[in-house]
Amino acid sequence: MFDPRPIKLTVNGRAIEAVVDSRMNLADFLRRDLKLTGTHLGCEHGVCGACTILVDGASARGCLMLAVQADGHAITTIEGVASADGTLHRVQEALSRHHGLQCGYCTPGVVMTLLELDQDREGRALSEDEIREALSGNLCRCTGYQGIVDAAMELFGSQHSSQT
Amino acid sequence: MKAPAFTYHAPTQLKDALQLLADLPNARVLAGGQSLMPMLNLRVAGPDHLIDLGHIEELKALQSVEGGVLTGSMCTQRRVERSPEVGEICPLLRDAIRHVGHQQTRNRGTIGGSVSHLDPGAELPVAAAALNATITIASLRGERIVPFSDFAQGYLTSCLEPDEIVKQILWPKAPKGAGTAFLEFNRRPADFAVVSVATQIVLEDDGTIAQSSLALGGVQGAPLVLDISGLSGARTVHEGFGEDLLRGLDCDGDELYPAEFRLEIASVLIGRALSKALAQARSVAHV
Ligand code: FES
Ligand code: FES
């Protein structure tokens, strides 16, 4: 059964019109229809955070949203984070510098979570506990998290993490 | 996996949603999707029709009213979490919501969705039980208002008829001098709770306990309200109170967390939650 729905949305600032099958989740739509394969799918049931994207600036699980639910909204994916000339965002820079990624599967989701954290903290310095809590919705099977936490501490932390 | 095929409906008026729900066979309503979407993706749910409530503005209200805080069923958890008013009027709701899922799920997860779904690992039903929140249920047949104690019937089971949805929830205002606590045990912060405890204590002017209520999650199918009225008149909670309270209680268990383990955790959490709520009530009352 095909249940086609027309949708209009913006993705990384670009206006998109598409017709989607209602059962298709947003992450699949981004990957398959828009070829934005930076958003990953790990578990497809809301646990791992690999599919994290921003919907009107707020983080969301791309696997727990239907593409039709994105109708009328502004989506940001990892492809929209670095500048057009390829210069990395400072969150990406910091993750790279601190070895906050190895295989990179979780990284797009981690970056989206950190972008939202930066917005929400409104310039306030965060404790390591707050940073770890914010990152608790993103599973990483490679780094052991220390590099990710170190990067976030450098950017938003009240002091540098002591365990480097 | 991917969700099975269904026909999607996006009504903008509550009455249209109720009409669809009454007319369509094997239909389900979609609130924030943070529980239903995993169930669809895992194919443990397979509705023929999905009625998305996300376009119905009247269900998104968050307002303070005479009796407390009124949350429309489609009000997001994140909005409640960020509302300073909620913390003042209904501190237990604020305490509980901080434990709900991850920020990424609270941004979309709704109050009504979590309360109706009644997952034993969810926090909001436990807070609703401790406070006996008032649920307004709507269908084409009209509205009815039920206390949470009648609403929750068991594991993932509410008193909702197939043509009904939760319209709004009234979270009662904490009386003056109230202290609250919400504690839970899980293996990673923000995971589903294995066991959770919600409590609210109100002190007399002389510092003794006037009223108290307590609910447990993860012990039975539905949140369990325990009678702790025996604490009235006391100034402290004695060592071993939780253990005494739970003696002989029926408790569900699984391979990972057997019943004895859950009960032991529950008794420890009860003691901690009561001391925390008591200390908080004291610091507010300066007694
Ligand atoms: S793929 Fe969405 S949370 Fe794992
Ligand atoms: S870098 Fe491999 S999962 Fe995080």
Side-chain angles (χ1 to χ4, degrees):
Chain A
M1 193 180 82
F2 183 49
D3 180 37
R5 302 280 149 175
I7 57 171
K8 280 188 201 174
L9 67 165
T10 69
V11 178
N12 302 329
R14 185 159 64 101
I16 308 269
E17 287 189 38
V19 174
V20 294
D21 190 2
S22 62
R23 76 189 186 99
M24 180 181 265
N25 73 48
L26 179 57
D28 280 338
F29 170 69
L30 296 167
R31 291 176 55 82
R32 294 185 194 180
D33 293 19
L34 304 186
K35 307 286 182 247
L36 296 172
T37 53
T39 299
H40 296 158
L41 284 145
C43 65
E44 298 190 318
H45 63 272
V47 175
C48 71
C51 63
T52 305
I53 40 134
L54 301 181
V55 180
D56 301 327
S59 65
R61 305 288 207 215
C63 70
L64 297 190
M65 229 180 123
L66 297 168
V68 299
Q69 290 179 291
D71 186 29
H73 295 282
I75 309 297
T76 311
T77 70
I78 190 67
E79 287 88 349
V81 175
S83 316
D85 67 0
T87 312
L88 293 183
H89 187 278
R90 63 195 188 97
V91 167
Q92 295 170 303
E93 274 286 344
L95 281 169
S96 159
R97 206 165 40 248
H98 288 276
H99 301 283
L101 65 155
Q102 288 176 26
C103 78
Y105 203 85
C106 68
T107 313
V110 169
V111 170
M112 302 328 269
T113 295
L114 290 177
L115 290 178
E116 182 182 47
L117 184 64
D118 192 19
Q119 242 172 60
D120 284 359
R121 76 189 177 104
E122 292 171 333
R124 193 171 64 87
L126 303 177
S127 68
E128 184 173 333
D129 281 355
E130 288 174 298
I131 285 172
R132 284 188 182 269
E133 193 187 327
L135 286 166
S136 67
N138 293 87
L139 296 186
C140 175
R141 299 289 80 162
C142 301
T143 64
Y145 302 100
Q146 193 58 46
I148 302 175
V149 171
D150 289 344
M153 285 297 284
E154 180 196 300
L155 295 169
F156 320 138
S158 43
Q159 82 251 335
H160 288 273
S161 169
S162 52
Q163 295 165 44
T164 33
Chain B
M1 289 198 295
K2 315 292 181 190
F6 47 76
T7 305
Y8 175 82
H9 306 266
T12 56
Q13 300 296 322
L14 177 58
K15 63 173 187 342
D16 298 338
L18 296 173
Q19 186 75 55
L20 288 166
L21 193 58
D23 293 347
L24 297 171
N26 191 22
R28 273 194 90 147
V29 293
L30 174 66
Q34 305 302 291
S35 301
L36 183 53
M37 279 295 295
M39 291 169 71
L40 289 169
N41 290 352
L42 293 166
R43 306 230 173 169
V44 294
D48 292 318
H49 297 273
L50 197 62
I51 305 167
D52 183 357
L53 303 179
H55 299 271
I56 304 174
E57 286 310 313
E58 70 174 296
L59 295 180
K60 296 183 185 170
L62 171 61
Q63 58 186 131
S64 51
V65 293
E66 172 113 20
V69 176
L70 196 62
T71 55
S73 55
M74 289 298 290
C75 173
T76 63
Q77 294 154 6
R78 187 74 173 141
R79 259 180 80 209
V80 170
E81 179 185 0
R82 301 185 112 187
S83 153
E85 269 191 318
V86 168
E88 275 160 36
I89 301 171
C90 189
L92 186 58
L93 176 57
R94 171 206 56 200
D95 296 347
I97 210 139
R98 291 182 175 162
H99 293 274
V100 179
H102 301 282
Q103 177 155 329
Q104 297 93 335
T105 63
R106 290 195 298 273
N107 279 334
R108 297 194 62 78
T110 61
I111 302 291
S114 175
V115 168
S116 323
H117 185 50
L118 287 169
D119 190 298
E123 291 83 1
L124 294 178
V126 181
L131 297 170
N132 205 10
T134 306
I135 320 280
T136 305
I137 294 173
S139 74
L140 279 188
R141 296 173 283 131
E143 288 188 6
R144 59 186 180 118
I145 294 177
V146 298
F148 186 83
S149 52
D150 292 340
F151 180 78
Q153 312 237 302
Y155 179 75
L156 300 182
T157 308
S158 70
C159 72
L160 288 176
E161 297 291 337
D163 64 339
E164 290 181 319
I165 66 164
V166 169
K167 183 181 173 195
Q168 59 191 27
I169 300 165
L170 176 67
W171 302 84
K173 185 178 164 73
K176 217 174 117 263
T180 58
F182 190 100
L183 297 181
E184 68 179 34
F185 171 81
N186 46 21
R187 293 183 61 189
R188 285 188 315 167
D191 271 358
F192 276 119
V194 176
V195 175
S196 59
V197 178
T199 187
Q200 176 165 293
I201 291 182
V202 185
L203 295 183
E204 297 285 7
D205 289 340
D206 69 357
T208 57
I209 296 174
Q211 298 163 28
S212 51
S213 64
L214 183 142
L216 276 180
V219 165
Q220 294 182 359
L224 180 69
V225 177
L226 293 174
D227 178 12
I228 56 165
S229 56
L231 287 176
S232 294
R235 286 179 180 277
T236 53
V237 178
H238 67 264
E239 182 85 31
F241 177 80
E243 223 177 304
D244 294 344
L245 196 62
L246 298 178
R247 192 157 294 129
L249 187 78
D250 269 344
C251 177
D252 295 345
D254 50 36
E255 310 80 66
L256 215 50
Y257 305 106
E260 310 79 70
F261 176 83
R262 286 174 190 261
L263 285 174
E264 193 168 330
I265 296 283
S267 73
V268 174
L269 287 183
I270 288 172
R272 286 186 195 164
L274 288 172
S275 327
K276 188 172 172 192
L278 206 52
Q280 199 193 78
R282 290 253 141 76
S283 74
V284 185
H286 307 291
V287 286

